[in-house]
PDB file of all heavy atoms in Angstrom:
ATOM      1  N   THR Y  14       6.611  53.652   5.309  1.00 51.00           N
ATOM      2  CA  THR Y  14       7.114  52.503   6.176  1.00 51.00           C
ATOM      3  C   THR Y  14       5.820  51.530   6.486  1.00 51.00           C
ATOM      4  O   THR Y  14       6.096  50.356   6.411  1.00 51.00           O
ATOM      5  CB  THR Y  14       7.713  53.140   7.583  1.00 51.00           C
ATOM      6  OG1 THR Y  14       8.740  53.910   7.215  1.00 51.00           O
ATOM      7  CG2 THR Y  14       8.162  51.992   8.353  1.00 51.00           C
ATOM      8  N   ARG Y  58     -18.825 -10.346  -6.241  1.00 89.00           N
ATOM      9  CA  ARG Y  58     -19.405  -9.391  -5.246  1.00 89.00           C
ATOM     10  C   ARG Y  58     -18.906  -9.708  -3.896  1.00 89.00           C
ATOM     11  O   ARG Y  58     -18.551  -8.723  -3.207  1.00 89.00           O
ATOM     12  CB  ARG Y  58     -20.850  -9.503  -5.291  1.00 89.00           C
ATOM     13  CG  ARG Y  58     -21.614  -8.482  -4.522  1.00 89.00           C
ATOM     14  CD  ARG Y  58     -23.061  -8.382  -4.764  1.00 89.00           C
ATOM     15  NE  ARG Y  58     -23.776  -7.318  -4.150  1.00 89.00           N
ATOM     16  CZ  ARG Y  58     -24.981  -7.153  -4.241  1.00 89.00           C
ATOM     17  NH1 ARG Y  58     -25.868  -8.023  -4.957  1.00 89.00           N
ATOM     18  NH2 ARG Y  58     -25.632  -6.276  -3.582  1.00 89.00           N
ATOM     19  N   PRO Y  66      -0.241  -4.965  -2.298  1.00 93.00           N
ATOM     20  CA  PRO Y  66       0.726  -5.299  -3.324  1.00 93.00           C
ATOM     21  C   PRO Y  66       0.252  -6.325  -4.402  1.00 93.00           C
ATOM     22  O   PRO Y  66       0.949  -6.625  -5.305  1.00 93.00           O
ATOM     23  CB  PRO Y  66       1.809  -5.881  -2.517  1.00 93.00           C
ATOM     24  CG  PRO Y  66       1.213  -6.561  -1.391  1.00 93.00           C
ATOM     25  CD  PRO Y  66      -0.059  -5.615  -1.005  1.00 93.00           C
ATOM     26  N   ALA Y  69      -4.801  -7.640 -10.246  1.00 93.00           N
ATOM     27  CA  ALA Y  69      -5.550  -8.665 -11.013  1.00 93.00           C
ATOM     28  C   ALA Y  69      -5.028  -8.588 -12.349  1.00 93.00           C
ATOM     29  O   ALA Y  69      -5.051  -7.598 -13.027  1.00 93.00           O
ATOM     30  CB  ALA Y  69      -6.981  -8.197 -10.965  1.00 93.00           C
ATOM     31  N   HIS Y  76       2.069  -1.903 -12.936  1.00 88.00           N
ATOM     32  CA  HIS Y  76       2.724  -1.042 -11.866  1.00 88.00           C
ATOM     33  C   HIS Y  76       1.750  -1.006 -10.570  1.00 88.00           C
ATOM     34  O   HIS Y  76       2.217  -0.467  -9.604  1.00 88.00           O
ATOM     35  CB  HIS Y  76       3.036   0.457 -12.307  1.00 88.00           C
ATOM     36  CG  HIS Y  76       1.841   1.117 -12.649  1.00 88.00           C
ATOM     37  ND1 HIS Y  76       1.353   1.342 -14.005  1.00 88.00           N
ATOM     38  CD2 HIS Y  76       0.893   1.892 -11.991  1.00 88.00           C
ATOM     39  CE1 HIS Y  76       0.254   2.008 -13.949  1.00 88.00           C
ATOM     40  NE2 HIS Y  76      -0.049   2.422 -12.725  1.00 88.00           N
ATOM     41  N   GLU Y  83       0.580 -11.552  -8.459  1.00 95.00           N
ATOM     42  CA  GLU Y  83      -0.475 -11.504  -9.444  1.00 95.00           C
ATOM     43  C   GLU Y  83      -1.645 -12.511  -9.188  1.00 95.00           C
ATOM     44  O   GLU Y  83      -1.377 -13.613  -8.944  1.00 95.00           O
ATOM     45  CB  GLU Y  83       0.027 -11.905 -10.796  1.00 95.00           C
ATOM     46  CG  GLU Y  83       1.012 -10.844 -11.448  1.00 95.00           C
ATOM     47  CD  GLU Y  83       2.417 -11.184 -10.770  1.00 95.00           C
ATOM     48  OE1 GLU Y  83       2.734 -12.107 -10.014  1.00 95.00           O
ATOM     49  OE2 GLU Y  83       3.285 -10.256 -11.179  1.00 95.00           O
ATOM     50  N   CYS Y  86      -8.822 -13.562 -12.054  1.00 95.00           N
ATOM     51  CA  CYS Y  86     -10.314 -13.791 -11.872  1.00 95.00           C
ATOM     52  C   CYS Y  86     -10.731 -14.820 -12.864  1.00 95.00           C
ATOM     53  O   CYS Y  86     -10.533 -14.640 -14.184  1.00 95.00           O
ATOM     54  CB  CYS Y  86     -10.981 -12.579 -12.237  1.00 95.00           C
ATOM     55  SG  CYS Y  86     -10.741 -11.197 -10.905  1.00 95.00           S
ATOM     56  N   HIS Y 123      -3.140 -31.483   2.239  1.00 93.00           N
ATOM     57  CA  HIS Y 123      -1.893 -32.041   2.465  1.00 93.00           C
ATOM     58  C   HIS Y 123      -1.117 -32.295   1.107  1.00 93.00           C
ATOM     59  O   HIS Y 123       0.135 -32.456   0.977  1.00 93.00           O
ATOM     60  CB  HIS Y 123      -1.954 -33.342   3.092  1.00 93.00           C
ATOM     61  CG  HIS Y 123      -2.031 -33.052   4.587  1.00 93.00           C
ATOM     62  ND1 HIS Y 123      -0.837 -32.996   5.467  1.00 93.00           N
ATOM     63  CD2 HIS Y 123      -2.981 -32.846   5.600  1.00 93.00           C
ATOM     64  CE1 HIS Y 123      -1.141 -32.812   6.682  1.00 93.00           C
ATOM     65  NE2 HIS Y 123      -2.468 -32.699   6.778  1.00 93.00           N
ATOM     66  N   ASN Y 128       3.584 -30.585  -1.950  1.00 92.00           N
ATOM     67  CA  ASN Y 128       4.164 -30.184  -3.282  1.00 92.00           C
ATOM     68  C   ASN Y 128       4.554 -28.662  -3.307  1.00 92.00           C
ATOM     69  O   ASN Y 128       5.272 -28.289  -4.239  1.00 92.00           O
ATOM     70  CB  ASN Y 128       3.180 -30.543  -4.469  1.00 92.00           C
ATOM     71  CG  ASN Y 128       3.016 -32.018  -4.511  1.00 92.00           C
ATOM     72  OD1 ASN Y 128       3.926 -32.694  -5.093  1.00 92.00           O
ATOM     73  ND2 ASN Y 128       1.902 -32.556  -4.103  1.00 92.00           N
ATOM     74  N   GLN Y 137       5.217 -16.851   2.871  1.00 94.00           N
ATOM     75  CA  GLN Y 137       5.666 -17.796   3.871  1.00 94.00           C
ATOM     76  C   GLN Y 137       4.406 -18.243   4.561  1.00 94.00           C
ATOM     77  O   GLN Y 137       3.349 -17.570   4.495  1.00 94.00           O
ATOM     78  CB  GLN Y 137       6.619 -17.292   4.822  1.00 94.00           C
ATOM     79  CG  GLN Y 137       7.836 -16.645   4.253  1.00 94.00           C
ATOM     80  CD  GLN Y 137       7.619 -15.067   3.976  1.00 94.00           C
ATOM     81  OE1 GLN Y 137       6.961 -14.490   4.814  1.00 94.00           O
ATOM     82  NE2 GLN Y 137       8.193 -14.677   2.948  1.00 94.00           N
ATOM     83  N   SER Y 151       3.123 -49.631   2.058  1.00 95.00           N
ATOM     84  CA  SER Y 151       2.400 -50.615   1.259  1.00 95.00           C
ATOM     85  C   SER Y 151       1.290 -51.375   2.099  1.00 95.00           C
ATOM     86  O   SER Y 151       0.491 -52.087   1.600  1.00 95.00           O
ATOM     87  CB  SER Y 151       3.408 -51.732   0.788  1.00 95.00           C
ATOM     88  OG  SER Y 151       4.159 -52.302   1.878  1.00 95.00           O
ATOM     89  N   ALA Y 152       1.366 -51.172   3.442  1.00 94.00           N
ATOM     90  CA  ALA Y 152       0.351 -51.759   4.365  1.00 94.00           C
ATOM     91  C   ALA Y 152      -0.068 -50.641   5.323  1.00 94.00           C
ATOM     92  O   ALA Y 152       0.608 -49.779   5.613  1.00 94.00           O
ATOM     93  CB  ALA Y 152       0.917 -53.054   5.111  1.00 94.00           C
ATOM     94  N   ARG Y 153      -1.303 -50.819   5.714  1.00 94.00           N
ATOM     95  CA  ARG Y 153      -1.860 -49.879   6.777  1.00 94.00           C
ATOM     96  C   ARG Y 153      -1.003 -50.099   8.054  1.00 94.00           C
ATOM     97  O   ARG Y 153      -0.745 -51.084   8.441  1.00 94.00           O
ATOM     98  CB  ARG Y 153      -3.338 -50.074   6.852  1.00 94.00           C
ATOM     99  CG  ARG Y 153      -4.265 -49.576   5.837  1.00 94.00           C
ATOM    100  CD  ARG Y 153      -5.627 -49.505   6.199  1.00 94.00           C
ATOM    101  NE  ARG Y 153      -6.465 -48.759   5.326  1.00 94.00           N
ATOM    102  CZ  ARG Y 153      -7.145 -49.297   4.214  1.00 94.00           C
ATOM    103  NH1 ARG Y 153      -6.936 -50.765   4.029  1.00 94.00           N
ATOM    104  NH2 ARG Y 153      -7.733 -48.602   3.395  1.00 94.00           N
ATOM    105  N   THR Y 173       1.589 -38.828   7.655  1.00 94.00           N
ATOM    106  CA  THR Y 173       2.473 -37.850   8.101  1.00 94.00           C
ATOM    107  C   THR Y 173       2.957 -38.142   9.526  1.00 94.00           C
ATOM    108  O   THR Y 173       2.007 -38.374  10.426  1.00 94.00           O
ATOM    109  CB  THR Y 173       1.853 -36.474   8.021  1.00 94.00           C
ATOM    110  OG1 THR Y 173       0.709 -36.469   8.913  1.00 94.00           O
ATOM    111  CG2 THR Y 173       1.585 -36.039   6.683  1.00 94.00           C
ATOM    112  N   PRO Y 181       8.573 -47.118   9.820  1.00 92.00           N
ATOM    113  CA  PRO Y 181       8.163 -48.544   9.754  1.00 92.00           C
ATOM    114  C   PRO Y 181       8.776 -49.296   8.507  1.00 92.00           C
ATOM    115  O   PRO Y 181       9.044 -48.711   7.387  1.00 92.00           O
ATOM    116  CB  PRO Y 181       6.703 -48.605   9.634  1.00 92.00           C
ATOM    117  CG  PRO Y 181       6.383 -47.182  10.273  1.00 92.00           C
ATOM    118  CD  PRO Y 181       7.449 -46.343   9.816  1.00 92.00           C
ATOM    119  N   PHE Y 194       0.743 -28.523  10.210  1.00 87.00           N
ATOM    120  CA  PHE Y 194       0.270 -29.626  11.142  1.00 87.00           C
ATOM    121  C   PHE Y 194       0.242 -30.929  10.413  1.00 87.00           C
ATOM    122  O   PHE Y 194       0.287 -30.988   9.260  1.00 87.00           O
ATOM    123  CB  PHE Y 194      -1.225 -29.336  11.560  1.00 87.00           C
ATOM    124  CG  PHE Y 194      -2.180 -29.101  10.475  1.00 87.00           C
ATOM    125  CD1 PHE Y 194      -2.860 -30.240   9.977  1.00 87.00           C
ATOM    126  CD2 PHE Y 194      -2.334 -27.838   9.805  1.00 87.00           C
ATOM    127  CE1 PHE Y 194      -3.679 -30.038   8.883  1.00 87.00           C
ATOM    128  CE2 PHE Y 194      -3.265 -27.714   8.857  1.00 87.00           C
ATOM    129  CZ  PHE Y 194      -3.962 -28.856   8.304  1.00 87.00           C
ATOM    130  N   PRO Y 214      10.732  -6.254   2.096  1.00 58.00           N
ATOM    131  CA  PRO Y 214      11.785  -5.656   2.958  1.00 58.00           C
ATOM    132  C   PRO Y 214      11.940  -4.245   2.805  1.00 58.00           C
ATOM    133  O   PRO Y 214      11.881  -3.825   1.670  1.00 58.00           O
ATOM    134  CB  PRO Y 214      12.959  -6.548   2.415  1.00 58.00           C
ATOM    135  CG  PRO Y 214      12.461  -7.819   1.793  1.00 58.00           C
ATOM    136  CD  PRO Y 214      11.058  -7.342   1.218  1.00 58.00           C
ATOM    137  N   GLN Y 222       0.794   1.349   7.274  1.00 42.00           N
ATOM    138  CA  GLN Y 222      -0.149   2.434   7.352  1.00 42.00           C
ATOM    139  C   GLN Y 222      -0.914   2.668   6.157  1.00 42.00           C
ATOM    140  O   GLN Y 222      -1.643   3.546   5.867  1.00 42.00           O
ATOM    141  CB  GLN Y 222       0.716   3.746   7.437  1.00 42.00           C
ATOM    142  CG  GLN Y 222       1.531   3.794   8.663  1.00 42.00           C
ATOM    143  CD  GLN Y 222       2.498   5.030   8.788  1.00 42.00           C
ATOM    144  OE1 GLN Y 222       2.213   6.061   8.280  1.00 42.00           O
ATOM    145  NE2 GLN Y 222       3.572   4.824   9.451  1.00 42.00           N
ATOM    146  N   LYS Y 235       7.507   1.039 -12.043  1.00 46.00           N
ATOM    147  CA  LYS Y 235       7.766  -0.099 -11.078  1.00 46.00           C
ATOM    148  C   LYS Y 235       7.129   0.183  -9.810  1.00 46.00           C
ATOM    149  O   LYS Y 235       7.014   1.388  -9.428  1.00 46.00           O
ATOM    150  CB  LYS Y 235       9.190  -0.378 -10.961  1.00 46.00           C
ATOM    151  CG  LYS Y 235       9.913  -0.950 -12.173  1.00 46.00           C
ATOM    152  CD  LYS Y 235      11.355  -1.304 -12.051  1.00 46.00           C
ATOM    153  CE  LYS Y 235      12.145  -1.910 -13.248  1.00 46.00           C
ATOM    154  NZ  LYS Y 235      13.431  -2.263 -12.966  1.00 46.00           N
ATOM    155  N   CYS Y 238       9.297   1.458  -3.084  1.00 46.00           N
ATOM    156  CA  CYS Y 238       9.593   2.652  -2.576  1.00 46.00           C
ATOM    157  C   CYS Y 238      11.136   2.811  -2.614  1.00 46.00           C
ATOM    158  O   CYS Y 238      11.755   2.518  -1.620  1.00 46.00           O
ATOM    159  CB  CYS Y 238       9.233   2.876  -1.011  1.00 46.00           C
ATOM    160  SG  CYS Y 238       7.353   2.486  -0.932  1.00 46.00           S
ATOM    161  N   SER Y 248      -0.285   9.013   6.089  1.00 29.00           N
ATOM    162  CA  SER Y 248      -0.636   7.740   6.053  1.00 29.00           C
ATOM    163  C   SER Y 248      -0.390   7.081   4.607  1.00 29.00           C
ATOM    164  O   SER Y 248      -0.365   5.882   4.378  1.00 29.00           O
ATOM    165  CB  SER Y 248      -2.014   7.409   6.330  1.00 29.00           C
ATOM    166  OG  SER Y 248      -2.912   8.192   5.536  1.00 29.00           O
ATOM    167  N   LEU Y 262       1.617  19.788 -11.850  1.00 61.00           N
ATOM    168  CA  LEU Y 262       2.494  20.847 -12.129  1.00 61.00           C
ATOM    169  C   LEU Y 262       1.558  21.995 -12.842  1.00 61.00           C
ATOM    170  O   LEU Y 262       1.627  23.172 -12.432  1.00 61.00           O
ATOM    171  CB  LEU Y 262       3.647  20.589 -12.965  1.00 61.00           C
ATOM    172  CG  LEU Y 262       4.707  19.747 -12.345  1.00 61.00           C
ATOM    173  CD1 LEU Y 262       5.777  19.493 -13.347  1.00 61.00           C
ATOM    174  CD2 LEU Y 262       5.318  20.464 -11.133  1.00 61.00           C
ATOM    175  N   SER Y 283      -4.005  48.087  -0.195  1.00 67.00           N
ATOM    176  CA  SER Y 283      -3.246  48.598   0.905  1.00 67.00           C
ATOM    177  C   SER Y 283      -2.688  49.955   0.665  1.00 67.00           C
ATOM    178  O   SER Y 283      -2.760  50.820   1.534  1.00 67.00           O
ATOM    179  CB  SER Y 283      -2.220  47.485   1.422  1.00 67.00           C
ATOM    180  OG  SER Y 283      -1.421  48.037   2.445  1.00 67.00           O
ATOM    181  N   ASN Y 294      -4.370  62.639   7.498  1.00 68.00           N
ATOM    182  CA  ASN Y 294      -3.371  63.065   8.421  1.00 68.00           C
ATOM    183  C   ASN Y 294      -2.915  64.496   8.016  1.00 68.00           C
ATOM    184  O   ASN Y 294      -2.708  65.416   8.841  1.00 68.00           O
ATOM    185  CB  ASN Y 294      -2.330  62.132   8.730  1.00 68.00           C
ATOM    186  CG  ASN Y 294      -2.713  60.825   9.289  1.00 68.00           C
ATOM    187  OD1 ASN Y 294      -3.743  60.952  10.071  1.00 68.00           O
ATOM    188  ND2 ASN Y 294      -2.024  59.841   9.186  1.00 68.00           N
TER     189      ASN Y 294
END
Side-chain angles (χ1 to χ4, degrees):
T14 302
R58 189 171 184 178
H76 65 264
E83 293 84 5
C86 293
H123 276 275
N128 295 285
Q137 306 87 38
S151 57
R153 281 191 172 91
T173 55
F194 61 89
Q222 299 175 31
K235 292 185 177 181
C238 302
S248 60
L262 289 176
S283 178
N294 291 336

